[in-house]
């Protein structure tokens, strides 16, 4: 198991513990948010839906933009690596994108 | 195949989280439908803290071990911290406007979260401006990350230390808290975001390793060229 995998598992474990604690803390009296149908006017509901829609759209746009950014950076690095390997005469039978020169 | 497992699990979990947020979670009595922003806003904040905390731990380990792979992992965690903090800072004001009447106030939790975002954007800019001395930049960035992460407990405890507009959702002391049905939905959404975080972290680590390999090849090419130049 590599150091990266250990770090990843440790991080996930800490976060899972945090979520468990949050769930325990959540079961308390005097809640900040109370369930029940809001007695709001239709225009208030429509306004709420507009903000809800904007917020969830923003989440997906940000996540999609990040994935595109990662993918672009990966392609650029792979091209750069291929160029360097050709320059160093390392291009052989090994798979593209893998370095044997470490 | 195993490395892509978090990505596949996240792809399954995120639609389930959406179902929880929109169909399963009960409506909130005072705020109505806009309160459902909460189910992605709070898990994003948790993942931002996880990213920043992980970055600080990995940075401390880097300062101790001086292993460049730890520095790469710290940068990956910081990037995810900034990503999820950006989501928090965008969804928060969109929730605040219909409830508080303003997009932003000088409230302590909001301000300290903005400071955290600025600190880690600065950290990433510092990494991007790295000059020839990569080790010196990595050391300096590690110190910035450790100092910056000290803002996380301040953000978490701010609603207790300074009474502001921001609700006490996860109970800190004396009151606050969440309806159990909402807490269940929050837990599902938080687990989905945790899987997303793990998937993105692994992808970003792969990118970091690739960058390390490219840097090693560049150094090798430079050494060969210098050797050739000296012989000529």
């Amino acid at each position: 198991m590599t150091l990266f995998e250990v770090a990843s598992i440790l991080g996930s474990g800490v976060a899972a513990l945090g979520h468990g604690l949050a769930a325990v803390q959540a079961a308390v009296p005097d809640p900040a948010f109370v369930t029940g149908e809001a007695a709001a006017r239709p225009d208030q509901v429509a306004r709420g839906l507009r903000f809800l829609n904007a917020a969830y759209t923003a989440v997906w746009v940000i996540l999609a933009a990040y994935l595109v950014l990662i993918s672009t950076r990966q392609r650029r690095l792979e091209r750069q690596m291929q160029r360097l390997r050709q320059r160093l005469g390392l291009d052989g039978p090994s798979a593209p994108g893998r370095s044997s020169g470490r | 195949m195993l490395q892509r497992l978090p990505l596949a699990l996240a792809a399954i979990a995120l639609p389930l989280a959406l179902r929880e947020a929109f169909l399963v979670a009960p409506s909130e009595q005072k705020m109505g439908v806009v309160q459902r922003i909460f189910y992605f806003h709070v898990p994003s904040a948790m993942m931002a803290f996880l990213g920043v905390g992980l970055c600080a731990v990995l940075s401390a380990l880097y300062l101790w071990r001086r292993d460049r792979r730890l520095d790469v992992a710290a940068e990956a965690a910081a990037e995810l911290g900034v990503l999820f903090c950006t989501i928090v800072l965008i969804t928060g004001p969109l929730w605040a406007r219909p409830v508080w009447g303003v997009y932003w106030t000088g409230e302590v939790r909001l301000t300290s979260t903005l400071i955290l975002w600025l600190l880690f954007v600065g950290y990433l800019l510092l990494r991007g401006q790295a000059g020839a001395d990569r080790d010196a930049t990595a050391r300096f960035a590690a110190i910035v990350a450790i100092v910056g992460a000290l803002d996380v407990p301040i953000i978490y405890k701010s609603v207790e230390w300074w009474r502001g507009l921001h609700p006490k959702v996860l109970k800190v002391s004396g009151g606050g808290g969440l309806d159990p049905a909402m807490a269940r939905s929050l837990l599902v959404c938080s687990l989905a975001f945790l899987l997303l975080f793990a998937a993105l972290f692994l992808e970003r680590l792969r990118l970091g390793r690739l960058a390390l390999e490219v840097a090693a090849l560049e150094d090798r090419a430079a050494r060969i060229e210098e050797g050739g130049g000296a012989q000529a």
Side-chain angles (χ1 to χ4, degrees):
Chain A
M1 187 177 279
T2 66
L3 197 56
F4 293 101
E5 284 163 340
V6 172
S8 171
I9 289 165
L10 276 179
S12 306
V14 169
L17 186 67
H19 294 319
L21 284 174
V24 171
Q25 286 175 330
V28 293
D30 186 23
F33 298 153
V34 184
T35 56
E37 287 308 315
R41 296 197 315 269
D43 60 322
Q44 282 179 326
V45 174
R47 191 160 174 263
L49 278 172
R50 237 183 6 254
F51 282 102
L52 182 68
N53 185 24
Y56 276 83
T57 305
V59 171
W60 297 121
V61 167
I62 291 167
L63 289 176
Y66 184 66
L67 285 173
V68 169
L69 183 77
I70 283 189
S71 150
T72 308
R73 275 151 78 178
Q74 183 160 356
R75 274 201 302 274
R76 199 187 61 224
L77 280 171
E78 276 170 356
R79 275 201 304 271
Q80 205 175 341
M81 175 169 268
Q82 209 167 357
R83 265 202 313 273
L84 281 164
R85 287 174 64 81
Q86 279 169 358
R87 209 164 105 195
L88 292 167
L90 292 172
D91 261 345
S94 61
R98 303 288 306 165
S99 169
S100 57
R102 296 183 72 188
Chain B
M1 180 64 194
L2 199 65
Q3 282 184 327
R4 300 278 174 186
L5 188 65
L7 203 59
L9 290 174
I12 295 166
L14 282 172
L16 290 176
L18 275 176
R19 182 179 168 272
E20 280 289 331
F22 285 97
L23 301 175
V24 177
S27 291
E28 208 279 331
Q29 201 172 31
K30 289 178 194 153
M31 288 180 263
V33 72
V34 79
Q35 187 266 344
R36 289 174 196 273
I37 290 175
F38 166 78
Y39 298 104
F40 272 34
H41 175 77
V42 174
S44 297
M46 289 175 178
M47 293 312 117
F49 292 167
L50 176 63
V52 166
L54 203 55
C55 174
V57 170
L58 290 164
S59 296
L61 284 173
Y62 169 74
L63 289 177
W64 179 37
R65 302 289 294 272
R66 296 295 158 97
D67 183 342
R68 197 172 275 178
R69 288 175 305 173
L70 288 167
D71 177 51
V72 165
E75 189 182 5
E79 207 170 278
L80 291 182
V82 169
L83 174 79
F84 285 104
C85 201
T86 306
I87 292 176
V88 173
L89 288 172
I90 289 175
T91 54
L94 286 169
W95 184 6
R97 181 68 181 85
V99 176
W100 296 344
V102 288
Y103 284 106
W104 190 267
T105 73
E107 207 262 354
V108 182
R109 180 167 272 190
L110 276 64
T111 309
S112 50
T113 306
L114 179 64
I115 289 170
L116 183 75
W117 185 81
L118 288 170
L119 279 168
F120 277 84
V121 166
Y123 169 93
L124 292 176
L125 288 173
L126 173 72
R127 309 301 307 247
Q129 299 295 317
D133 194 348
R134 290 189 195 123
D135 289 332
T137 308
R139 278 199 305 275
F140 186 59
I143 293 165
V144 169
I146 293 166
V147 173
L150 294 177
D151 193 22
V152 171
I154 295 172
I155 296 171
Y156 185 72
K157 296 291 267 183
S158 60
V159 286
E160 194 182 9
W161 292 341
W162 301 276
R163 294 193 180 278
L165 278 171
H166 201 284
K168 289 179 193 174
V169 177
L170 303 181
K171 186 177 180 291
V172 277
S173 73
L178 193 62
D179 182 274
M182 290 177 171
R184 222 174 20 249
S185 295
L186 176 63
L187 190 64
V188 172
C189 292
S190 302
L191 288 173
F193 266 68
L194 185 61
L195 285 169
L196 178 67
F197 183 95
L200 291 176
F201 186 59
L202 288 176
E203 289 300 320
R204 185 57 188 76
L205 273 185
R206 264 195 285 277
L207 192 69
R209 284 180 197 163
L210 193 61
L212 271 185
E213 288 184 26
V214 168
L217 284 177
E218 273 174 346
D219 288 349
R220 195 169 159 182
R223 275 200 306 274
I224 289 170
E225 276 164 15
E226 272 173 26
Q231 278 173 4

